[in-house]
Amino acid sequence: MSKLIPFIFCINILQGEVAEDICFRYGFIGQLQSNSDSTVELGDKSIVHTGDAVRINIGYVKDSYFYLIYLDSEGLYSLHLPEDSADENRLDTLYKTILKGRLSGSTGNETFYLLNRNTPLTELTKLLSRYESAPKKGKIKLGKKIQTQLDALDPDVKADLSSIASRLDKPLVGGVAFRGKDDDDLKVGSLTHECNGSAGIAFKKIVLDHK
Protein backbone atom coordinates (compact mmCIF):
# COMPACT_ATOMS: atom_id res chain seq x y z
CA MET A 1 0.00 0.00 0.00
CA SER A 2 1.42 3.35 -1.00
CA LYS A 3 1.42 6.18 1.49
CA LEU A 4 0.54 9.75 0.62
CA ILE A 5 3.04 12.49 1.37
CA PRO A 6 1.52 16.01 1.24
CA PHE A 7 3.77 18.95 0.50
CA ILE A 8 3.75 22.68 1.20
CA PHE A 9 3.61 24.47 -2.14
CA CYS A 10 5.27 27.85 -2.69
CA ILE A 11 5.49 28.45 1.05
CA ASN A 12 6.72 32.02 0.76
CA ILE A 13 3.68 33.03 -1.25
CA LEU A 14 1.16 31.24 0.93
CA GLN A 15 2.59 32.80 4.07
CA GLY A 16 2.97 36.21 2.43
CA GLU A 17 6.68 36.41 3.23
CA VAL A 18 7.81 37.62 -0.18
CA ALA A 19 4.89 39.09 -2.08
CA GLU A 20 6.76 39.32 -5.39
CA ASP A 21 8.02 35.74 -5.36
CA ILE A 22 5.87 33.28 -7.29
CA CYS A 23 6.18 29.66 -8.34
CA PHE A 24 4.27 26.88 -10.02
CA ARG A 25 4.73 23.17 -10.64
CA TYR A 26 4.27 21.42 -13.94
CA GLY A 27 4.56 18.11 -15.73
CA PHE A 28 4.82 17.38 -19.45
CA ILE A 29 3.64 13.79 -19.75
CA GLY A 30 3.80 11.74 -22.93
CA GLN A 31 2.26 8.52 -24.12
CA LEU A 32 4.25 7.62 -27.20
CA GLN A 33 3.09 5.41 -30.03
CA SER A 34 6.43 3.64 -29.98
CA ASN A 35 5.65 2.39 -26.45
CA SER A 36 1.94 2.96 -25.89
CA ASP A 37 1.85 1.01 -22.61
CA SER A 38 4.23 3.42 -20.87
CA THR A 39 3.91 6.97 -19.56
CA VAL A 40 7.04 9.08 -20.04
CA GLU A 41 8.27 12.45 -18.82
CA LEU A 42 8.89 15.02 -21.53
CA GLY A 43 11.07 18.10 -21.28
CA ASP A 44 12.71 20.81 -23.33
CA LYS A 45 14.07 19.39 -26.63
CA SER A 46 12.33 16.02 -26.15
CA ILE A 47 11.63 14.27 -29.46
CA VAL A 48 8.00 13.43 -30.17
CA HIS A 49 6.24 12.09 -33.25
CA THR A 50 2.93 12.61 -35.01
CA GLY A 51 0.25 10.66 -33.12
CA ASP A 52 2.03 10.82 -29.75
CA ALA A 53 -0.17 12.02 -26.89
CA VAL A 54 0.99 14.97 -24.78
CA ARG A 55 -0.57 16.10 -21.50
CA ILE A 56 0.45 19.24 -19.57
CA ASN A 57 -0.34 19.32 -15.84
CA ILE A 58 0.08 22.37 -13.61
CA GLY A 59 -0.14 23.31 -9.94
CA TYR A 60 -0.33 27.00 -9.01
CA VAL A 61 -1.42 29.19 -6.14
CA LYS A 62 -5.03 30.32 -6.15
CA ASP A 63 -5.53 34.05 -6.76
CA SER A 64 -2.60 34.10 -9.16
CA TYR A 65 -3.03 34.03 -12.95
CA PHE A 66 -1.82 31.13 -15.08
CA TYR A 67 -1.44 31.12 -18.86
CA LEU A 68 -0.26 28.53 -21.37
CA ILE A 69 0.54 29.97 -24.78
CA TYR A 70 1.17 27.37 -27.47
CA LEU A 71 3.09 28.19 -30.66
CA ASP A 72 2.62 25.15 -32.87
CA SER A 73 4.86 23.77 -35.60
CA GLU A 74 2.84 25.68 -38.23
CA GLY A 75 3.58 29.00 -36.52
CA LEU A 76 0.12 29.54 -35.02
CA TYR A 77 -0.47 30.83 -31.47
CA SER A 78 -3.21 29.72 -29.10
CA LEU A 79 -4.05 30.65 -25.51
CA HIS A 80 -5.02 28.00 -22.96
CA LEU A 81 -6.36 28.92 -19.52
CA PRO A 82 -7.10 26.64 -16.55
CA GLU A 83 -10.75 25.59 -16.35
CA ASP A 84 -12.73 26.60 -13.28
CA SER A 85 -13.74 23.83 -10.89
CA ALA A 86 -16.34 23.59 -8.14
CA ASP A 87 -13.82 22.95 -5.33
CA GLU A 88 -11.58 25.99 -5.95
CA ASN A 89 -12.99 28.03 -3.04
CA ARG A 90 -11.63 25.59 -0.46
CA LEU A 91 -8.16 25.14 -1.95
CA ASP A 92 -5.01 27.26 -1.66
CA THR A 93 -3.29 25.52 -4.56
CA LEU A 94 -5.02 24.50 -7.80
CA TYR A 95 -4.07 21.44 -9.85
CA LYS A 96 -5.16 21.24 -13.48
CA THR A 97 -4.51 19.55 -16.77
CA ILE A 98 -4.30 22.64 -18.93
CA LEU A 99 -3.78 20.96 -22.31
CA LYS A 100 -3.89 17.43 -23.68
CA GLY A 101 -4.11 15.84 -27.09
CA ARG A 102 -2.29 14.00 -29.86
CA LEU A 103 0.23 15.67 -32.13
CA SER A 104 -0.87 16.14 -35.71
CA GLY A 105 -0.11 18.38 -38.66
CA SER A 106 3.32 19.63 -39.68
CA THR A 107 6.54 18.54 -38.01
CA GLY A 108 8.88 21.05 -36.39
CA ASN A 109 9.11 22.83 -33.05
CA GLU A 110 6.09 22.72 -30.73
CA THR A 111 6.69 25.61 -28.31
CA PHE A 112 4.90 26.04 -25.00
CA TYR A 113 5.12 29.16 -22.83
CA LEU A 114 3.99 28.62 -19.22
CA LEU A 115 3.41 31.85 -17.30
CA ASN A 116 2.24 32.35 -13.73
CA ARG A 117 1.79 35.92 -12.55
CA ASN A 118 0.48 37.81 -9.53
CA THR A 119 -1.38 40.24 -11.79
CA PRO A 120 -3.20 39.58 -15.07
CA LEU A 121 -1.50 39.85 -18.47
CA THR A 122 -4.26 42.02 -19.91
CA GLU A 123 -2.50 43.33 -23.02
CA LEU A 124 -1.17 39.92 -24.03
CA THR A 125 -4.55 38.22 -23.64
CA LYS A 126 -6.20 40.98 -25.70
CA LEU A 127 -3.68 40.40 -28.49
CA LEU A 128 -4.30 36.65 -28.42
CA SER A 129 -8.06 37.20 -28.50
CA ARG A 130 -7.72 39.43 -31.59
CA TYR A 131 -5.30 36.92 -33.13
CA GLU A 132 -7.82 34.09 -32.84
CA SER A 133 -10.33 35.75 -35.18
CA ALA A 134 -7.90 37.63 -37.42
CA PRO A 135 -7.41 36.82 -41.14
CA LYS A 136 -4.12 35.33 -42.31
CA LYS A 137 -2.33 38.66 -42.89
CA GLY A 138 -3.63 40.00 -39.60
CA LYS A 139 -2.34 36.90 -37.79
CA ILE A 140 1.16 37.54 -39.12
CA LYS A 141 1.15 41.12 -37.80
CA LEU A 142 -0.40 40.20 -34.45
CA GLY A 143 1.89 37.18 -34.09
CA LYS A 144 4.92 39.49 -34.15
CA LYS A 145 3.38 41.62 -31.39
CA ILE A 146 2.58 38.53 -29.33
CA GLN A 147 6.14 37.26 -29.64
CA THR A 148 7.51 40.67 -28.65
CA GLN A 149 5.40 40.59 -25.49
CA LEU A 150 6.50 37.04 -24.69
CA ASP A 151 10.16 37.98 -25.17
CA ALA A 152 9.68 40.89 -22.77
CA LEU A 153 8.62 38.37 -20.09
CA ASP A 154 11.28 35.76 -20.89
CA PRO A 155 14.16 35.77 -18.36
CA ASP A 156 16.45 34.35 -21.06
CA VAL A 157 15.86 37.58 -22.98
CA LYS A 158 15.30 40.11 -20.16
CA ALA A 159 18.24 40.26 -17.77
CA ASP A 160 16.22 41.86 -14.96
CA LEU A 161 13.87 38.86 -14.71
CA SER A 162 14.66 35.49 -13.16
CA SER A 163 12.90 32.13 -13.35
CA ILE A 164 14.58 28.92 -12.25
CA ALA A 165 13.12 25.48 -12.99
CA SER A 166 14.17 22.43 -10.98
CA ARG A 167 13.16 18.80 -10.95
CA LEU A 168 11.11 17.52 -8.01
CA ASP A 169 12.53 14.66 -5.95
CA LYS A 170 9.48 12.56 -6.76
CA PRO A 171 6.58 12.96 -9.19
CA LEU A 172 3.48 14.43 -7.53
CA VAL A 173 -0.19 14.02 -8.36
CA GLY A 174 -2.56 16.69 -7.06
CA GLY A 175 0.06 17.96 -4.60
CA VAL A 176 0.73 14.52 -3.12
CA ALA A 177 3.65 12.11 -3.52
CA PHE A 178 3.13 8.37 -3.23
CA ARG A 179 5.49 6.38 -1.02
CA GLY A 180 5.77 2.64 -1.54
CA LYS A 181 7.00 0.20 -4.13
CA ASP A 182 5.61 2.38 -6.93
CA ASP A 183 6.72 5.69 -5.45
CA ASP A 184 8.74 6.69 -8.51
CA ASP A 185 6.08 5.68 -11.03
CA LEU A 186 4.99 8.42 -13.40
CA LYS A 187 1.25 8.89 -13.77
CA VAL A 188 -0.73 10.76 -16.39
CA GLY A 189 -1.52 13.49 -13.85
CA SER A 190 2.01 13.84 -12.49
CA LEU A 191 3.87 17.07 -11.76
CA THR A 192 7.62 16.68 -12.18
CA HIS A 193 9.17 20.16 -11.99
CA GLU A 194 8.90 23.46 -10.14
CA CYS A 195 9.49 26.91 -11.63
CA ASN A 196 10.39 29.74 -9.24
CA GLY A 197 10.13 33.31 -10.47
CA SER A 198 10.70 36.84 -9.25
CA ALA A 199 9.17 40.29 -9.79
CA GLY A 200 5.71 38.74 -9.69
CA ILE A 201 6.13 36.35 -12.62
CA ALA A 202 7.35 32.78 -13.17
CA PHE A 203 8.07 31.88 -16.79
CA LYS A 204 9.03 28.59 -18.42
CA LYS A 205 9.50 27.84 -22.11
CA ILE A 206 9.42 24.22 -23.30
CA VAL A 207 10.12 23.21 -26.90
CA LEU A 208 9.24 19.71 -28.13
CA ASP A 209 10.92 18.50 -31.33
CA HIS A 210 8.09 17.09 -33.45
CA LYS A 211 9.52 14.62 -35.97
Side-chain angles (χ1 to χ4, degrees), residues 6-7 22 36 41 63 69 72 84 101 109 113 120 128 130 135 151 165 190 201:
F7 71 93
I22 188 168
S36 58
E41 176 188 330
D63 298 329
I69 298 165
D72 68 21
D84 294 335
N109 286 340
Y113 298 91
L128 285 157
R130 290 171 54 198
D151 289 343
S190 289
I201 185 167

mmCIF file of all heavy atoms in Angstrom, residues 6-7 22 36 41 63 69 72 84 101 109 113 120 128 130 135 151 165 190 201:
data_model
loop_
_atom_site.group_PDB
_atom_site.id
_atom_site.type_symbol
_atom_site.label_atom_id
_atom_site.label_comp_id
_atom_site.label_asym_id
_atom_site.label_seq_id
_atom_site.Cartn_x
_atom_site.Cartn_y
_atom_site.Cartn_z
ATOM 1 N N PRO A 6 1.891 14.660 1.680
ATOM 2 C CA PRO A 6 1.515 16.006 1.240
ATOM 3 C C PRO A 6 2.724 16.926 1.268
ATOM 4 O O PRO A 6 3.688 16.686 1.981
ATOM 5 C CB PRO A 6 0.465 16.435 2.263
ATOM 6 C CG PRO A 6 0.786 15.637 3.484
ATOM 7 C CD PRO A 6 1.355 14.327 3.008
ATOM 8 N N PHE A 7 2.670 17.998 0.496
ATOM 9 C CA PHE A 7 3.771 18.949 0.503
ATOM 10 C C PHE A 7 3.233 20.359 0.645
ATOM 11 O O PHE A 7 2.078 20.635 0.370
ATOM 12 C CB PHE A 7 4.616 18.837 -0.770
ATOM 13 C CG PHE A 7 3.932 19.337 -1.999
ATOM 14 C CD1 PHE A 7 4.094 20.648 -2.420
ATOM 15 C CD2 PHE A 7 3.118 18.500 -2.744
ATOM 16 C CE1 PHE A 7 3.471 21.116 -3.553
ATOM 17 C CE2 PHE A 7 2.479 18.969 -3.880
ATOM 18 C CZ PHE A 7 2.659 20.276 -4.285
ATOM 19 N N ILE A 22 6.975 34.082 -6.796
ATOM 20 C CA ILE A 22 5.871 33.276 -7.289
ATOM 21 C C ILE A 22 6.440 31.991 -7.883
ATOM 22 O O ILE A 22 7.569 31.985 -8.392
ATOM 23 C CB ILE A 22 5.048 34.062 -8.342
ATOM 24 C CG1 ILE A 22 3.767 33.303 -8.711
ATOM 25 C CG2 ILE A 22 5.883 34.411 -9.558
ATOM 26 C CD1 ILE A 22 2.790 34.152 -9.511
ATOM 27 N N SER A 36 3.239 2.446 -26.318
ATOM 28 C CA SER A 36 1.939 2.961 -25.889
ATOM 29 C C SER A 36 1.541 2.513 -24.489
ATOM 30 O O SER A 36 0.638 3.089 -23.890
ATOM 31 C CB SER A 36 0.854 2.540 -26.888
ATOM 32 O OG SER A 36 0.811 1.122 -27.012
ATOM 33 N N GLU A 41 8.092 11.026 -19.120
ATOM 34 C CA GLU A 41 8.270 12.446 -18.824
ATOM 35 C C GLU A 41 8.918 13.129 -20.019
ATOM 36 O O GLU A 41 9.932 12.662 -20.544
ATOM 37 C CB GLU A 41 9.155 12.600 -17.590
ATOM 38 C CG GLU A 41 9.487 14.031 -17.228
ATOM 39 C CD GLU A 41 10.510 14.102 -16.116
ATOM 40 O OE1 GLU A 41 10.561 13.184 -15.270
ATOM 41 O OE2 GLU A 41 11.279 15.090 -16.088
ATOM 42 N N ASP A 63 -5.583 32.580 -6.751
ATOM 43 C CA ASP A 63 -5.527 34.049 -6.764
ATOM 44 C C ASP A 63 -4.332 34.574 -7.538
ATOM 45 O O ASP A 63 -4.072 35.781 -7.554
ATOM 46 C CB ASP A 63 -5.539 34.651 -5.359
ATOM 47 C CG ASP A 63 -6.825 34.311 -4.601
ATOM 48 O OD1 ASP A 63 -7.869 34.174 -5.266
ATOM 49 O OD2 ASP A 63 -6.769 34.187 -3.365
ATOM 50 N N ILE A 69 0.604 29.494 -23.407
ATOM 51 C CA ILE A 69 0.542 29.971 -24.781
ATOM 52 C C ILE A 69 1.316 28.979 -25.646
ATOM 53 O O ILE A 69 2.487 28.695 -25.389
ATOM 54 C CB ILE A 69 1.116 31.392 -24.902
ATOM 55 C CG1 ILE A 69 0.259 32.353 -24.048
ATOM 56 C CG2 ILE A 69 1.137 31.843 -26.359
ATOM 57 C CD1 ILE A 69 0.894 33.682 -23.791
ATOM 58 N N ASP A 72 2.483 26.487 -32.282
ATOM 59 C CA ASP A 72 2.617 25.152 -32.870
ATOM 60 C C ASP A 72 3.615 25.138 -34.017
ATOM 61 O O ASP A 72 4.180 26.172 -34.402
ATOM 62 C CB ASP A 72 1.245 24.592 -33.279
ATOM 63 C CG ASP A 72 0.605 25.338 -34.456
ATOM 64 O OD1 ASP A 72 1.315 26.008 -35.221
ATOM 65 O OD2 ASP A 72 -0.633 25.225 -34.599
ATOM 66 N N ASP A 84 -12.216 26.457 -14.641
ATOM 67 C CA ASP A 84 -12.727 26.601 -13.277
ATOM 68 C C ASP A 84 -13.275 25.262 -12.787
ATOM 69 O O ASP A 84 -13.760 24.450 -13.570
ATOM 70 C CB ASP A 84 -13.839 27.648 -13.225
ATOM 71 C CG ASP A 84 -13.335 29.042 -13.534
ATOM 72 O OD1 ASP A 84 -12.137 29.279 -13.324
ATOM 73 O OD2 ASP A 84 -14.134 29.871 -14.000
ATOM 74 N N GLY A 101 -3.701 16.222 -25.749
ATOM 75 C CA GLY A 101 -4.110 15.842 -27.093
ATOM 76 C C GLY A 101 -2.989 15.124 -27.811
ATOM 77 O O GLY A 101 -1.884 14.945 -27.268
ATOM 78 N N ASN A 109 9.126 22.495 -34.474
ATOM 79 C CA ASN A 109 9.110 22.827 -33.049
ATOM 80 C C ASN A 109 7.693 23.094 -32.555
ATOM 81 O O ASN A 109 6.950 23.870 -33.167
ATOM 82 C CB ASN A 109 9.970 24.059 -32.774
ATOM 83 C CG ASN A 109 11.452 23.761 -32.842
ATOM 84 O OD1 ASN A 109 11.879 22.614 -32.739
ATOM 85 N ND2 ASN A 109 12.258 24.792 -33.017
ATOM 86 N N TYR A 113 4.743 28.143 -23.804
ATOM 87 C CA TYR A 113 5.120 29.157 -22.825
ATOM 88 C C TYR A 113 4.194 29.022 -21.624
ATOM 89 O O TYR A 113 2.977 29.188 -21.754
ATOM 90 C CB TYR A 113 4.992 30.560 -23.417
ATOM 91 C CG TYR A 113 5.891 30.842 -24.600
ATOM 92 C CD1 TYR A 113 5.451 30.597 -25.896
ATOM 93 C CD2 TYR A 113 7.172 31.365 -24.426
ATOM 94 C CE1 TYR A 113 6.271 30.859 -27.004
ATOM 95 C CE2 TYR A 113 7.990 31.628 -25.511
ATOM 96 C CZ TYR A 113 7.532 31.378 -26.797
ATOM 97 O OH TYR A 113 8.349 31.645 -27.885
ATOM 98 N N PRO A 120 -2.845 40.100 -13.746
ATOM 99 C CA PRO A 120 -3.203 39.578 -15.073
ATOM 100 C C PRO A 120 -2.378 40.185 -16.203
ATOM 101 O O PRO A 120 -1.927 41.326 -16.120
ATOM 102 C CB PRO A 120 -4.685 39.953 -15.208
ATOM 103 C CG PRO A 120 -4.894 41.085 -14.256
ATOM 104 C CD PRO A 120 -3.945 40.857 -13.117
ATOM 105 N N LEU A 128 -3.995 38.029 -28.051
ATOM 106 C CA LEU A 128 -4.300 36.648 -28.416
ATOM 107 C C LEU A 128 -5.768 36.484 -28.792
ATOM 108 O O LEU A 128 -6.113 35.684 -29.669
ATOM 109 C CB LEU A 128 -3.915 35.715 -27.268
ATOM 110 C CG LEU A 128 -2.410 35.492 -27.133
ATOM 111 C CD1 LEU A 128 -2.046 35.063 -25.720
ATOM 112 C CD2 LEU A 128 -1.944 34.441 -28.136
ATOM 113 N N ARG A 130 -7.615 38.865 -30.237
ATOM 114 C CA ARG A 130 -7.717 39.426 -31.585
ATOM 115 C C ARG A 130 -7.099 38.475 -32.609
ATOM 116 O O ARG A 130 -7.615 38.322 -33.723
ATOM 117 C CB ARG A 130 -7.006 40.777 -31.629
ATOM 118 C CG ARG A 130 -7.713 41.887 -30.869
ATOM 119 C CD ARG A 130 -6.830 43.131 -30.777
ATOM 120 N NE ARG A 130 -6.378 43.579 -32.094
ATOM 121 C CZ ARG A 130 -5.347 44.399 -32.291
ATOM 122 N NH1 ARG A 130 -4.638 44.843 -31.246
ATOM 123 N NH2 ARG A 130 -5.013 44.773 -33.501
ATOM 124 N N PRO A 135 -7.756 37.490 -39.880
ATOM 125 C CA PRO A 135 -7.408 36.816 -41.145
ATOM 126 C C PRO A 135 -5.913 36.508 -41.193
ATOM 127 O O PRO A 135 -5.151 36.932 -40.318
ATOM 128 C CB PRO A 135 -7.810 37.846 -42.201
ATOM 129 C CG PRO A 135 -7.735 39.161 -41.497
ATOM 130 C CD PRO A 135 -8.128 38.899 -40.074
ATOM 131 N N ASP A 151 8.715 37.756 -25.365
ATOM 132 C CA ASP A 151 10.155 37.977 -25.175
ATOM 133 C C ASP A 151 10.411 38.950 -24.025
ATOM 134 O O ASP A 151 11.408 38.824 -23.299
ATOM 135 C CB ASP A 151 10.792 38.503 -26.460
ATOM 136 C CG ASP A 151 10.871 37.441 -27.557
ATOM 137 O OD1 ASP A 151 10.740 36.246 -27.230
ATOM 138 O OD2 ASP A 151 11.048 37.826 -28.726
ATOM 139 N N ALA A 165 13.878 26.732 -13.030
ATOM 140 C CA ALA A 165 13.123 25.484 -12.994
ATOM 141 C C ALA A 165 13.999 24.377 -12.426
ATOM 142 O O ALA A 165 15.192 24.290 -12.732
ATOM 143 C CB ALA A 165 12.640 25.097 -14.390
ATOM 144 N N SER A 190 0.846 13.487 -13.291
ATOM 145 C CA SER A 190 2.014 13.842 -12.485
ATOM 146 C C SER A 190 2.520 15.257 -12.760
ATOM 147 O O SER A 190 2.460 15.774 -13.878
ATOM 148 C CB SER A 190 3.158 12.867 -12.745
ATOM 149 O OG SER A 190 2.887 11.599 -12.198
ATOM 150 N N ILE A 201 6.398 37.222 -11.477
ATOM 151 C CA ILE A 201 6.126 36.347 -12.617
ATOM 152 C C ILE A 201 7.091 35.164 -12.632
ATOM 153 O O ILE A 201 8.282 35.306 -12.332
ATOM 154 C CB ILE A 201 6.209 37.113 -13.954
ATOM 155 C CG1 ILE A 201 5.809 36.193 -15.118
ATOM 156 C CG2 ILE A 201 7.581 37.738 -14.167
ATOM 157 C CD1 ILE A 201 5.565 36.932 -16.412
#
